[in-house]
Short mmCIF file of all heavy atoms in Angstrom, two decimals:
data_model
loop_
_atom_site.label_atom_id
_atom_site.label_comp_id
_atom_site.label_asym_id
_atom_site.label_seq_id
_atom_site.Cartn_x
_atom_site.Cartn_y
_atom_site.Cartn_z
N GLY A 204 101.35 -8.64 -88.29
CA GLY A 204 101.36 -7.26 -87.94
C GLY A 204 102.27 -6.33 -88.75
O GLY A 204 102.26 -5.14 -88.56
N ALA A 205 103.07 -6.91 -89.64
CA ALA A 205 103.95 -6.07 -90.45
C ALA A 205 103.27 -5.70 -91.75
O ALA A 205 102.17 -6.17 -92.10
CB ALA A 205 105.23 -6.87 -90.76
N SER A 206 103.95 -4.85 -92.52
CA SER A 206 103.44 -4.43 -93.84
C SER A 206 104.26 -5.16 -94.93
O SER A 206 105.47 -5.03 -94.96
CB SER A 206 103.61 -2.88 -93.99
OG SER A 206 103.26 -2.48 -95.27
N ALA A 207 103.57 -5.97 -95.71
CA ALA A 207 104.28 -6.78 -96.73
C ALA A 207 104.53 -5.97 -98.02
O ALA A 207 103.66 -5.31 -98.54
CB ALA A 207 103.45 -8.03 -97.06
N THR A 208 105.79 -6.09 -98.49
CA THR A 208 106.14 -5.43 -99.71
C THR A 208 106.80 -6.45 -100.63
O THR A 208 107.83 -7.02 -100.29
CB THR A 208 107.19 -4.29 -99.46
OG1 THR A 208 106.60 -3.35 -98.52
CG2 THR A 208 107.58 -3.57 -100.73
N ALA A 209 106.19 -6.68 -101.81
CA ALA A 209 106.74 -7.64 -102.75
C ALA A 209 107.76 -6.90 -103.66
O ALA A 209 107.37 -5.86 -104.21
CB ALA A 209 105.62 -8.25 -103.56
N MET A 210 108.94 -7.44 -103.83
CA MET A 210 109.92 -6.85 -104.72
C MET A 210 110.94 -7.88 -105.15
O MET A 210 111.06 -8.92 -104.49
CB MET A 210 110.59 -5.60 -104.10
CG MET A 210 111.53 -5.91 -102.93
SD MET A 210 112.63 -4.48 -102.45
CE MET A 210 111.47 -3.27 -102.10
N SER A 211 111.67 -7.56 -106.14
CA SER A 211 112.77 -8.47 -106.61
C SER A 211 113.78 -8.61 -105.51
O SER A 211 114.13 -7.67 -104.80
CB SER A 211 113.43 -7.84 -107.85
OG SER A 211 114.65 -8.51 -108.11
N TYR A 212 114.27 -9.85 -105.36
CA TYR A 212 115.23 -10.14 -104.26
C TYR A 212 116.51 -9.34 -104.47
O TYR A 212 117.20 -8.96 -103.54
CB TYR A 212 115.54 -11.66 -104.22
CG TYR A 212 116.27 -12.04 -102.99
CD1 TYR A 212 115.74 -11.80 -101.73
CD2 TYR A 212 117.48 -12.72 -103.07
CE1 TYR A 212 116.42 -12.20 -100.56
CE2 TYR A 212 118.14 -13.18 -101.90
CZ TYR A 212 117.60 -12.90 -100.67
OH TYR A 212 118.27 -13.28 -99.53
N GLY A 213 116.87 -9.09 -105.75
CA GLY A 213 118.08 -8.36 -106.01
C GLY A 213 118.03 -6.87 -105.58
O GLY A 213 119.06 -6.20 -105.51
N GLU A 214 116.85 -6.37 -105.32
CA GLU A 214 116.70 -4.99 -104.89
C GLU A 214 116.68 -4.81 -103.37
O GLU A 214 116.66 -3.68 -102.89
CB GLU A 214 115.35 -4.43 -105.43
CG GLU A 214 115.26 -4.45 -106.96
CD GLU A 214 113.87 -3.99 -107.41
OE1 GLU A 214 113.07 -3.54 -106.58
OE2 GLU A 214 113.57 -4.18 -108.61
N VAL A 215 116.68 -5.91 -102.65
CA VAL A 215 116.47 -5.86 -101.22
C VAL A 215 117.60 -5.10 -100.45
O VAL A 215 117.32 -4.26 -99.58
CB VAL A 215 116.29 -7.30 -100.60
CG1 VAL A 215 116.29 -7.25 -99.06
CG2 VAL A 215 115.01 -7.93 -101.14
N TYR A 216 118.81 -5.37 -100.83
CA TYR A 216 119.99 -4.73 -100.10
C TYR A 216 119.80 -3.18 -100.09
O TYR A 216 119.84 -2.56 -99.08
CB TYR A 216 121.28 -5.18 -100.68
CG TYR A 216 122.54 -4.68 -99.96
CD1 TYR A 216 123.18 -5.49 -99.06
CD2 TYR A 216 123.00 -3.38 -100.13
CE1 TYR A 216 124.33 -5.06 -98.36
CE2 TYR A 216 124.09 -2.92 -99.44
CZ TYR A 216 124.75 -3.78 -98.56
OH TYR A 216 125.88 -3.33 -97.88
N SER A 217 119.70 -2.69 -101.28
CA SER A 217 119.61 -1.19 -101.43
C SER A 217 118.34 -0.66 -100.83
O SER A 217 118.29 0.45 -100.29
CB SER A 217 119.78 -0.76 -102.87
OG SER A 217 118.73 -1.28 -103.69
N ALA A 218 117.24 -1.43 -100.91
CA ALA A 218 115.96 -1.00 -100.35
C ALA A 218 116.01 -0.88 -98.85
O ALA A 218 115.47 0.07 -98.27
CB ALA A 218 114.85 -1.94 -100.75
N ILE A 219 116.72 -1.79 -98.21
CA ILE A 219 116.90 -1.73 -96.73
C ILE A 219 117.86 -0.54 -96.40
O ILE A 219 117.61 0.22 -95.51
CB ILE A 219 117.44 -3.05 -96.17
CG1 ILE A 219 116.45 -4.16 -96.32
CG2 ILE A 219 117.75 -2.89 -94.69
CD1 ILE A 219 116.96 -5.54 -95.89
N GLN A 220 118.90 -0.46 -97.19
CA GLN A 220 119.94 0.55 -96.96
C GLN A 220 119.38 1.98 -97.04
O GLN A 220 119.72 2.84 -96.26
CB GLN A 220 121.06 0.42 -97.96
CG GLN A 220 122.33 1.19 -97.76
CD GLN A 220 123.36 0.86 -98.74
OE1 GLN A 220 123.10 0.69 -99.94
NE2 GLN A 220 124.62 0.75 -98.31
N THR A 221 118.44 2.18 -97.95
CA THR A 221 117.83 3.49 -98.17
C THR A 221 116.52 3.73 -97.41
O THR A 221 115.93 4.76 -97.51
CB THR A 221 117.58 3.74 -99.69
OG1 THR A 221 116.70 2.73 -100.20
CG2 THR A 221 118.90 3.72 -100.49
N GLY A 222 116.07 2.67 -96.71
CA GLY A 222 114.88 2.81 -95.91
C GLY A 222 113.54 2.62 -96.67
O GLY A 222 112.47 2.88 -96.12
N VAL A 223 113.66 2.17 -97.91
CA VAL A 223 112.41 1.90 -98.69
C VAL A 223 111.60 0.77 -97.98
O VAL A 223 110.41 0.83 -97.94
CB VAL A 223 112.78 1.51 -100.11
CG1 VAL A 223 111.52 1.06 -100.87
CG2 VAL A 223 113.40 2.69 -100.83
N ILE A 224 112.37 -0.22 -97.46
CA ILE A 224 111.77 -1.23 -96.62
C ILE A 224 112.60 -1.33 -95.36
O ILE A 224 113.74 -0.82 -95.30
CB ILE A 224 111.75 -2.65 -97.34
CG1 ILE A 224 113.14 -3.05 -97.76
CG2 ILE A 224 110.76 -2.62 -98.52
CD1 ILE A 224 113.19 -4.49 -98.32
N ASP A 225 112.09 -1.98 -94.36
CA ASP A 225 112.77 -2.13 -93.05
C ASP A 225 113.53 -3.46 -93.00
O ASP A 225 114.49 -3.57 -92.25
CB ASP A 225 111.78 -2.02 -91.89
CG ASP A 225 111.11 -0.66 -91.82
OD1 ASP A 225 111.87 0.33 -91.94
OD2 ASP A 225 109.87 -0.63 -91.72
N GLY A 226 113.04 -4.44 -93.72
CA GLY A 226 113.67 -5.73 -93.62
C GLY A 226 113.12 -6.74 -94.63
O GLY A 226 112.38 -6.33 -95.54
N ALA A 227 113.45 -7.99 -94.41
CA ALA A 227 113.00 -9.04 -95.31
C ALA A 227 112.96 -10.37 -94.52
O ALA A 227 113.04 -10.35 -93.31
CB ALA A 227 113.94 -9.17 -96.49
N GLU A 228 112.79 -11.48 -95.24
CA GLU A 228 112.80 -12.77 -94.60
C GLU A 228 113.44 -13.79 -95.52
O GLU A 228 113.15 -13.74 -96.71
CB GLU A 228 111.40 -13.16 -94.15
CG GLU A 228 110.28 -13.12 -95.17
CD GLU A 228 110.24 -14.35 -96.03
OE1 GLU A 228 110.30 -15.49 -95.51
OE2 GLU A 228 110.20 -14.25 -97.28
N ASN A 229 114.28 -14.63 -94.95
CA ASN A 229 114.90 -15.64 -95.74
C ASN A 229 115.68 -16.57 -94.79
O ASN A 229 115.68 -16.37 -93.58
CB ASN A 229 115.86 -15.06 -96.74
CG ASN A 229 115.95 -15.85 -98.04
OD1 ASN A 229 116.01 -17.09 -98.02
ND2 ASN A 229 115.90 -15.18 -99.18
N ASN A 230 116.29 -17.59 -95.39
CA ASN A 230 117.09 -18.51 -94.54
C ASN A 230 118.43 -17.82 -94.13
O ASN A 230 118.81 -16.78 -94.75
CB ASN A 230 117.34 -19.84 -95.23
CG ASN A 230 118.07 -19.72 -96.55
OD1 ASN A 230 119.14 -19.13 -96.66
ND2 ASN A 230 117.46 -20.23 -97.61
N PHE A 231 119.08 -18.35 -93.15
CA PHE A 231 120.27 -17.69 -92.59
C PHE A 231 121.42 -17.58 -93.65
O PHE A 231 122.02 -16.54 -93.73
CB PHE A 231 120.74 -18.42 -91.31
CG PHE A 231 121.26 -17.48 -90.27
CD1 PHE A 231 120.57 -17.30 -89.05
CD2 PHE A 231 122.43 -16.73 -90.46
CE1 PHE A 231 121.05 -16.39 -88.10
CE2 PHE A 231 122.89 -15.89 -89.51
CZ PHE A 231 122.22 -15.69 -88.35
#
Side-chain angles (χ1 to χ4, degrees):
S206 175
T208 302
M210 69 167 58
S211 166
Y212 193 56
E214 298 173 12
V215 172
Y216 186 100
S217 61
I219 296 175
Q220 191 175 40
T221 57
V223 173
I224 57 174
D225 298 312
E228 53 82 48
N229 213 316
N230 58 56
F231 217 112

